């Protein structure tokens, strides 16, 4: 692909406006927010809509000037012979992410106007939403790793602020802390990886790094270690095993936040990172294998946990983790296009599902436990329809979008994976259909419980985003095909190596369709028609069920590690610091000087003959020392 | 009469003066002992000046300066002793221990 | 011949010195010091340093001793016999002896054996004092001035009240 620099001036350059608008909105709201309390949502919404308009313009320009990587940068500072710059790179990947982020953020902010209506700290909410949008956009546009890392950390910070938005609740504060700390552990790996790459290539610029690595400038051992470390950062943000523990707890935040950050945008930043550095990863097959394995473990583990969770948002959270695992599997087996396509469709569908869950929450007055819900289709028809579209899409029913992306992933796995991969991926796909069916049927269909009699449909401001996202969930799949001479299908738009067309493999299509149908059918049988009893299955598999509902005791393991390992270590360090450094070295020197002086002051007797004697004694000692030492003194 | 004779005389005078400084109780008497020490130094210098070939003038000039500075010092010391006498009504150094811990 | 003169003068110096540091009577001590200083002037003559002998007699014998006697007169308090006795006498004797031992040892081991003495001419001394040693000469005069002023200020009685 040609790499063109800023000599090409075109509208594509305007992409920097997208994050700039959001940052401006954040600053205005953060500083002057108190003066204009009712305008917070309007301002933030204006900024994100502006960003969306910028995306449309950039997309139009990009399609008209042809594909390629365009980089624009501004020099920031020089250290020695290294120079750091604010730069952005516009290629298919960043255009895709730009569109996803701006659209979903826009929908979520519109939705928030309705959902968060009675909040009193609304200004701060919209301010952090704008900051998040700005940092996420910067992350996808950044052209050097350092810049991306800065945006990465900012995104994590915004996630912390938004999860802990209702900080008066202890569980929310704990969840926010857990999210931040867990992703931070991954970020350490990311930073070391970035610095390692800088050390061997001498630059932070992504395209230069790829260029140098492709020409063999980096030894393969170093590259493997670096990519593994970078993947560690991706694992943290994208909630791969074993860093997945923060995502379900992050549901303590407001539902729009979950929809935006923990479904469509922040958690995919790990996948984006792997995709952006994909040429590097392709040079290290070991790392790719690790990526695929961890993705697979995550997918299976999370899907199994999603089957037994009873909180609606938690099921969706585990579902997100599972699908992120699937994306990693796809990337790990070389399926760049398939992974990114699934990212797109999953983003729309999952955001839709979360917003729908929020609508249920809003309509029933705060209920989230699926055992307390049921039969809501009578009272909340729009929510039911859109939620069903999302659930079916994610389950992989054709011709919804999820079907196409899942199909592509299945194809990649069948072509490149070994039998273990294939079997486990099939299991994960089956389970995803099953748990989707479970929540759909338990929440929306069936008899209406009496306590939910007063459930009402959500206001228009919340249902319009639902409808918009469901439209995309239906139609985004057709992006896989080519439409005109400008756009020949997703596979030719975003690819690695060579363009791919959408593969029509009847075997694979039938396999994936039947899997989804089996999953949904099983769900229908268990939960709707009660032909098979869910309780019977649970009791037969009760050890497994207990393990799954206790989240495989991973959380407890982490807590144990923290209590016994980390805290012990820090206690030792603290005691050492207090006793050795503070008391002995710092205070001790002062104290001993003081007490020495206190004891020694009795030398000053004030009497003249004492002083005279002292002088004489000193003189004698000096004389003797000199005389004895004189032969050893060389001139 | 060699140089050694004068040196030993000078050393003996110096030590007598040293004993006086350490053992006397009145400030004036200490001053007398100090004068004795200074003169011992002078003898030393002059004898070295006399017995050396090249440093004759230097030794005598330094001795002149020693006498000068000794005179100045005696004047000042006696002034201080007078002051001391006025405040304490005695020049006994055993009673002087105000500058102690 | 000069050996006899030397020993006589040495005896005078040492005797006067001992008298200065041992005598209980302050005035006797001051006069012993005068005797010792005159003996030293004689030693200077033996060493062919006539100018210095002159200066010694003039300044020490003429000025310093008189000033000391004045101060003795002005600070005469009750002369307690035992007031001249210092409880640290033994230690002082020891210190003196040790220093003397050290010095003698150093002198004996290091000193040259020449026996000829050089006279220094007056005019040479004067020349060097104003040529090579001019700066210290001037500074010495400054020192004397400062000492003079200082002594006046310190010893002044506050008679304004």
């Amino acid at each position: 692909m040609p790499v063109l620099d800023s000599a090409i001036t075109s509208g594509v350059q305007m992409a920097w406006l997208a994050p700039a608008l959001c940052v401006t909105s954040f600053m205005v709201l953060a500083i002057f927010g108190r003066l204009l309390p009712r305008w917070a949502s309007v301002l933030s919404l204006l900024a994100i809509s502006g960003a969306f308009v910028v995306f449309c313009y950039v997309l139009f320009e990009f399609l008209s000037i042809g594909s390629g990587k365009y980089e624009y940068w501004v020099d920031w500072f020089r250290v020695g012979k290294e120079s750091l710059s604010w730069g952005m790179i516009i290629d298919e990947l960043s255009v895709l992410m730009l569109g996803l982020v701006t659209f979903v953020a826009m929908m979520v902010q519109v939705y928030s106007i309705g959902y968060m209506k009675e909040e009193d700290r609304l200004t701060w909410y919209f301010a952090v939403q704008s900051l998040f949008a700005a940092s996420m956009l910067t992350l996808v546009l950044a052209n050097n790793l350092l810049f991306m890392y800065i945006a990465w950390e900012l995104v994590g910070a915004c996630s912390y602020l938004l999860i802990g938005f209702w900080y008066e609740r202890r569980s929310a504060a704990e969840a926010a802390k857990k999210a931040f700390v867990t992703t931070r552990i991954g970020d350490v790996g990311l930073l070391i990886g970035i610095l390692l790459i800088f050390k061997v290539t001498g630059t932070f610029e992504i395209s230069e790094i790829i260029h140098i690595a492709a020409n063999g400038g980096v030894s393969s051992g170093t590259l493997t270690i670096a990519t593994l470390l970078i993947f560690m950062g991706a694992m943290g943000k994208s909630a791969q095993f074993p860093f997945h523990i923060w995502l379900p707890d992050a549901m303590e935040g407001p539902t729009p936040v979950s929809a935006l950050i923990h479904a469509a945008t922040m958690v995919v930043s790990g996948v984006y990172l792997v995709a952006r550095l994909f040429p590097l990863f392709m040079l290290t097959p070991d790392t790719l294998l690790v990526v695929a394995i961890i993705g697979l473990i995550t997918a299976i583990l999370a899907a199994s946990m999603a089957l037994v969770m009873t909180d609606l948002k938690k099921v969706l959270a585990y579902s997100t983790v599972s699908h992120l695992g699937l994306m990693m599997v796809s990337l790990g087996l070389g399926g760049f296009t398939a992974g990114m396509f699934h990212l797109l469709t999953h983003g729309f569908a999952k955001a839709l599902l979360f917003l729908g869950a929020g609508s249920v929450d809003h309509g029933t007055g705060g209920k989230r436990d699926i055992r307390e819900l049921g039969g809501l289709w009578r009272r909340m028809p729009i929510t039911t329809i859109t939620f069903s579209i999302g659930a079916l899409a994610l389950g992989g029913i054709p011709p919804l979008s999820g079907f196409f992306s899942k199909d592509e992933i299945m194809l990649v796995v069948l072509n490149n994976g070994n039998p273990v991969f294939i079997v486990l991926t099939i299991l994960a796909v089956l389970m995803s259909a099953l748990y989707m069916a479970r929540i759909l049927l338990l929440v929306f269909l069936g008899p209406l419980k009496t306590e939910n009699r007063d459930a009402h449909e959500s206001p228009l401001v919340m249902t319009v985003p639902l409808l918009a996202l469901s439209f995309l969930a239906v139609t985004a799949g057709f992006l896989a095909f080519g439409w005109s001479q400008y756009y020949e299908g997703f596979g030719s738009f975003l690819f690695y190596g060579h363009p791919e067309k959408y593969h029509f493999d009847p075997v694979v299509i039938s396999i994936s369709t039947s899997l989804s149908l089996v999953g949904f059918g099983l769900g229908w049988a268990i939960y709707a028609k009660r032909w098979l009893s869910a309780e019977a299955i649970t009791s037969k598999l009760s050890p497994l069920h207990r393990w799954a509902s206790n989240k495989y005791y991973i959380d407890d393991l982490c807590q144990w590690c923290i209590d016994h390992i980390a805290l012990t270590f820090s206690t030792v360090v603290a005691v050492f610091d207090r006793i050795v450094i503070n008391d002995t070295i710092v205070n001790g020197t002062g104290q001993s000087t003081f007490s020495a002086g206190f004891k020694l002051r009795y030398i000053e007797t004030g009497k003249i003959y004492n002083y005279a004697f002292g002088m004489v004694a000193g003189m004698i000692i000096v004389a003797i020392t000199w005389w004895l030492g004189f032969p050893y003194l060389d001139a | 009469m060699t140089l050694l004779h004068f040196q030993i005389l000078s050393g003996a005078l110096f030590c007598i003066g040293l004993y006086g400084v350490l053992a006397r109780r009145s400030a004036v008497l200490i001053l007398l002992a100090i004068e004795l020490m200074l003169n011992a130094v002078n003898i030393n210098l002059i004898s070295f000046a006399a017995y050396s070939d090249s440093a004759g003038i230097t030794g005598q000039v330094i001795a002149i300066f020693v006498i000068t500075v000794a005179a100045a010092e005696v004047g000042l010391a006696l002034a201080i002793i007078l002051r001391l006498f006025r405040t304490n009504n005695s020049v006994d150094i055993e009673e002087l221990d105000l500058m102690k811990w | 011949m000069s050996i006899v003169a030397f020993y006589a003068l040495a005896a005078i110096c040492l005797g006067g010195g001992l008298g200065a540091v041992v005598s209980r009577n302050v005035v006797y001590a001051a006069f012993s010091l005068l005797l010792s200083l005159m003996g030293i002037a004689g030693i200077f003559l033996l060493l062919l340093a006539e100018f210095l002998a002159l200066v010694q007699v003039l300044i020490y014998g003429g000025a310093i001793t008189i000033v000391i006697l004045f101060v003795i007169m002005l600070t005469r308090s009750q002369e307690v016999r035992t007031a001249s006795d210092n409880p640290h006498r033994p230690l002082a004797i020891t210190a003196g002896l040790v220093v003397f031992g050290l010095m003698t040892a150093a002198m004996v081991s290091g000193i040259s054996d020449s026996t000829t003495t050089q006279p220094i001419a007056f005019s040479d001394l004067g020349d060097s004092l104003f040529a090579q040693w001019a700066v210290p000469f001037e500074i010495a005069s400054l020192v004397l001035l400062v000492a003079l002023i200082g002594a006046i200020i310190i010893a002044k009685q506050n008679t304004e009240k």
Side-chain angles (χ1 to χ4, degrees):
Chain A
M1 276 189 231
V3 177
L4 306 163
D5 63 359
S6 50
I8 304 279
T9 54
S10 82
V12 177
Q13 256 176 315
M14 292 291 135
W16 69 270
L17 268 179
L21 279 170
C22 297
V23 159
T24 322
S25 154
F26 165 71
M27 299 239 242
V28 169
L29 284 176
I31 301 178
F32 301 112
R34 236 167 289 186
L35 302 172
L36 8 105
R38 301 240 207 95
W39 288 80
S41 49
V42 173
L43 198 60
S44 167
L45 201 56
L46 269 177
I48 195 71
S49 318
F52 184 67
V53 166
V54 167
F55 156 71
C56 297
Y57 178 63
V58 165
L59 181 65
F60 178 68
E61 287 283 321
F62 188 74
L63 289 176
S64 60
I65 60 174
S67 66
K69 277 188 178 10
Y70 303 102
E71 291 192 44
Y72 304 95
W73 67 86
V74 172
D75 271 330
W76 187 16
F77 63 85
R78 284 182 184 278
V79 178
K81 56 174 165 50
E82 314 299 339
S83 78
L84 281 146
S85 55
W86 299 111
M88 63 179 187
I89 176 168
I90 312 285
D91 66 347
E92 293 85 3
L93 186 60
S94 48
V95 168
L96 174 76
M97 295 299 294
L98 195 62
L100 179 66
V101 172
T102 48
F103 185 72
V104 176
M106 195 165 64
M107 291 295 116
V108 162
Q109 287 197 12
V110 169
Y111 185 90
S112 303
I113 297 177
Y115 186 81
M116 309 277 289
K117 210 158 159 176
E118 292 97 34
E119 285 298 321
D120 39 351
R121 278 182 291 127
L122 207 56
T123 317
W124 177 240
Y125 175 83
F126 277 107
V128 183
Q129 282 263 5
S130 303
L131 182 64
F132 172 80
S135 32
M136 190 70 206
L137 288 169
T138 314
L139 202 157
V140 304
L141 288 175
N143 82 333
N144 62 5
L145 283 175
L146 198 63
F147 198 24
M148 187 191 281
Y149 185 73
I150 295 174
W152 185 277
E153 293 294 331
L154 258 180
V155 165
C158 291
S159 161
Y160 167 80
L161 287 170
L162 283 172
I163 294 175
F165 182 69
W166 289 314
Y167 55 75
E168 308 87 10
R169 269 209 300 227
R170 172 129 190 118
S171 51
E174 289 288 319
K177 193 170 62 167
K178 186 175 186 177
F180 195 63
V181 171
T182 314
T183 51
R184 197 83 194 90
I185 298 177
D187 292 347
V188 169
L190 179 61
L191 186 62
I192 299 178
I194 290 180
L195 291 175
L196 188 61
I197 288 193
F198 177 69
K199 182 172 171 297
V200 296
T201 56
T203 173
F204 282 114
E205 309 268 327
I206 296 178
S207 35
E208 273 182 49
I209 292 173
I210 294 177
H211 189 67
I212 293 177
N215 290 346
V218 185
S219 77
S220 109
T222 317
L223 199 57
T224 311
I225 296 177
T227 45
L228 272 174
L229 286 169
I230 290 184
F231 180 59
M232 198 165 133
M235 271 163 68
K237 270 282 188 321
S238 290
Q240 301 295 298
F241 176 84
F243 294 121
H244 64 277
I245 50 175
W246 66 271
L247 193 50
D249 286 2
M251 297 300 119
E252 294 283 341
T255 312
V257 166
S258 304
L260 178 63
I261 299 186
H262 307 122
T265 45
M266 182 179 109
V267 293
V268 302
S269 56
V271 181
Y272 167 77
L273 182 65
V274 176
R276 173 61 78 198
L277 294 175
F278 204 63
L280 284 182
F281 279 88
M282 283 299 268
L283 289 169
T284 58
D286 298 326
T287 315
L288 277 182
L289 190 63
V290 170
V291 170
I293 291 177
I294 291 201
L296 192 64
I297 297 177
T298 314
I300 291 285
L301 207 67
S304 64
M305 286 196 266
L307 272 176
V308 300
M309 284 293 149
T310 52
D311 183 298
L312 182 59
K313 280 178 74 175
K314 284 235 170 47
V315 173
L316 293 175
Y318 279 109
S319 161
T320 310
V321 176
S322 174
H323 279 272
L324 287 168
L326 279 177
M327 287 181 226
M328 286 296 186
V329 167
S330 166
L331 282 176
L333 293 175
F336 183 73
T337 312
M340 294 312 293
F341 193 38
H342 192 61
L343 192 151
L344 185 69
T345 58
H346 170 266
F348 291 135
K350 199 39 81 52
L352 173 63
L353 286 171
F354 266 108
L355 292 182
S359 176
V360 166
D361 186 306
H362 183 89
T364 58
K367 290 219 180 88
R368 284 205 210 152
D369 195 327
I370 55 178
R371 298 170 293 198
E372 297 173 16
L373 298 165
L376 289 175
W377 65 273
R378 291 193 189 88
R379 295 274 184 265
M380 309 169 76
I382 304 184
T383 310
T384 313
I385 296 176
T386 50
F387 197 90
S388 320
I389 292 178
L392 289 173
L394 219 49
I397 303 287
L400 299 174
S401 58
F403 161 71
F404 292 101
S405 56
K406 273 234 182 94
D407 192 53
E408 287 287 302
I409 293 187
M410 289 295 314
L411 203 65
V412 165
V413 174
L414 279 172
N415 283 346
N416 301 345
N418 59 29
V420 178
F421 269 93
I422 297 175
V423 166
L424 288 178
T425 314
I426 289 179
L427 196 59
V429 169
L430 188 66
M431 280 202 275
S432 77
L434 188 58
Y435 60 66
M436 276 298 151
R438 175 176 177 247
I439 48 170
L440 184 62
L441 296 167
L442 279 180
V443 171
F444 289 100
L445 299 180
L448 184 63
K449 293 201 165 62
T450 43
E451 23 324 333
N452 298 335
R453 240 175 324 152
D454 300 324
H456 58 275
E457 184 58 83
S458 306
L460 205 64
V461 74
M462 287 165 67
T463 49
V464 165
L466 288 175
L467 288 168
L469 282 171
S470 58
F471 173 73
L472 276 174
V474 169
T475 58
F478 300 115
L479 279 174
F481 308 112
W483 290 83
S484 61
Q485 81 228 49
Y486 288 120
Y487 179 69
E488 282 139 27
F490 196 80
S492 63
F493 181 71
L494 184 62
F495 56 86
Y496 176 76
H498 47 268
E500 304 171 9
K501 287 192 64 95
Y502 182 73
H503 302 93
F504 258 117
D505 191 335
V507 176
V508 179
I509 291 186
S510 47
I511 292 181
S512 53
T513 318
S514 49
L515 277 175
S516 316
L517 287 173
V518 164
F520 275 99
L522 206 60
W524 178 268
I526 298 179
Y527 297 105
K529 291 292 183 194
R530 314 257 168 201
W531 288 334
L532 301 164
S533 163
E535 289 81 21
I537 300 181
T538 313
S539 54
K540 260 195 233 147
L541 301 168
S542 81
L544 208 60
H545 183 260
R546 207 170 9 141
W547 270 65
S549 15
N550 284 329
K551 297 173 265 183
Y552 294 97
Y553 301 104
I554 296 181
D555 277 327
D556 304 314
L557 184 68
C558 289
Q559 192 61 39
W560 185 90
C561 280
I562 292 176
D563 283 340
H564 290 103
I565 300 179
L567 280 181
T568 316
F569 178 66
S570 43
T571 314
V572 167
V573 173
V575 166
F576 178 78
D577 176 61
R578 193 163 38 93
I579 292 184
V580 174
I581 296 182
N582 192 39
D583 286 345
T584 310
I585 298 181
V586 175
N587 278 358
T589 358
Q591 195 62 35
S592 56
T593 312
F594 188 70
S595 48
F598 199 72
K599 299 273 164 45
L600 281 175
R601 68 192 169 127
Y602 296 112
I603 291 182
E604 304 274 325
T605 57
K607 306 227 191 245
I608 293 181
Y609 57 81
N610 283 353
Y611 298 154
F613 267 117
M615 277 191 245
V616 172
M619 182 177 74
I620 292 176
I621 291 175
V622 168
I624 293 180
T625 315
W626 192 350
W627 198 14
L628 289 176
F630 198 73
Y632 303 108
L633 285 172
D634 291 320
Chain B
M1 190 175 59
T2 61
L3 186 55
L4 191 63
H5 291 95
F6 288 101
Q7 292 297 306
I8 297 208
L9 170 65
S10 145
L13 266 176
F14 187 82
C15 292
I16 291 174
L18 188 66
Y19 166 76
V21 168
L22 293 172
R24 284 302 217 174
R25 218 163 136 157
S26 166
V28 181
L29 295 171
I30 293 183
L31 197 63
L32 288 179
I34 292 177
E35 288 308 308
L36 205 53
M37 285 163 85
L38 281 164
N39 278 283
V41 167
N42 264 357
I43 297 180
N44 200 10
L45 280 167
I46 301 291
S47 60
F48 267 118
Y51 277 94
S52 92
D53 297 326
S54 59
I57 292 195
T58 311
Q60 292 200 7
V61 165
I62 294 179
I64 290 181
F65 283 128
V66 169
I67 295 181
T68 313
V69 171
E73 169 226 334
V74 161
L76 273 170
L78 290 172
I80 294 175
I81 293 176
L82 274 177
R83 199 52 184 270
L84 189 68
F85 178 72
R86 268 190 228 129
T87 48
N88 282 13
N89 210 32
S90 99
V91 290
D92 190 352
I93 60 162
E94 291 280 316
E95 298 172 17
L96 289 175
D97 57 359
L98 284 173
M99 300 266 279
K100 72 175 181 183
W101 55 267
Chain C
M1 186 58 205
S2 50
I3 281 278
V4 177
F6 169 74
Y7 277 121
L9 284 168
I12 295 178
C13 292
L14 288 171
L18 277 170
V21 299
V22 166
S23 158
R24 300 261 176 100
N25 191 329
V26 188
V27 183
Y28 287 173
F31 277 114
S32 309
L33 184 70
L34 180 62
L35 186 66
S36 177
L37 295 177
M38 294 306 113
I40 291 179
I43 299 269
F44 284 168
L45 279 175
L46 262 183
L47 286 168
L48 308 178
E50 304 103 0
F51 178 62
L52 266 144
L54 213 65
V55 165
Q56 174 88 353
V57 172
L58 264 174
I59 294 183
Y60 272 110
I64 290 184
T65 314
I66 304 296
V67 168
I68 289 182
L69 285 169
F70 261 114
V71 171
I72 290 175
M73 177 189 77
L74 285 171
T75 65
R76 252 341 222 221
S77 54
Q78 279 70 30
E79 287 205 35
V80 185
R81 285 292 143 178
T82 54
S84 326
D85 283 344
N86 196 315
H88 304 277
R89 255 203 322 198
L91 203 56
I93 296 176
T94 322
L97 285 173
V98 167
V99 174
F100 182 61
L102 270 176
M103 277 203 274
T104 323
M107 288 169 204
V108 164
S109 65
I111 246 170
S112 64
D113 280 333
S114 57
T115 51
T116 53
T117 56
Q118 323 256 2
I120 307 291
F122 242 25
S123 49
D124 284 342
L125 194 59
D127 277 340
S128 85
L129 205 54
F130 282 98
Q132 185 192 358
W133 297 93
V135 175
F137 189 68
E138 300 300 325
I139 295 179
S141 66
L142 207 62
V143 167
L144 284 170
L145 176 68
V146 167
L148 184 65
I149 297 175
I152 293 176
I153 292 178
I154 293 177
K156 205 160 97 140
Q157 274 182 320
N158 291 339
T159 53
E160 288 88 32
K161 292 199 244 204

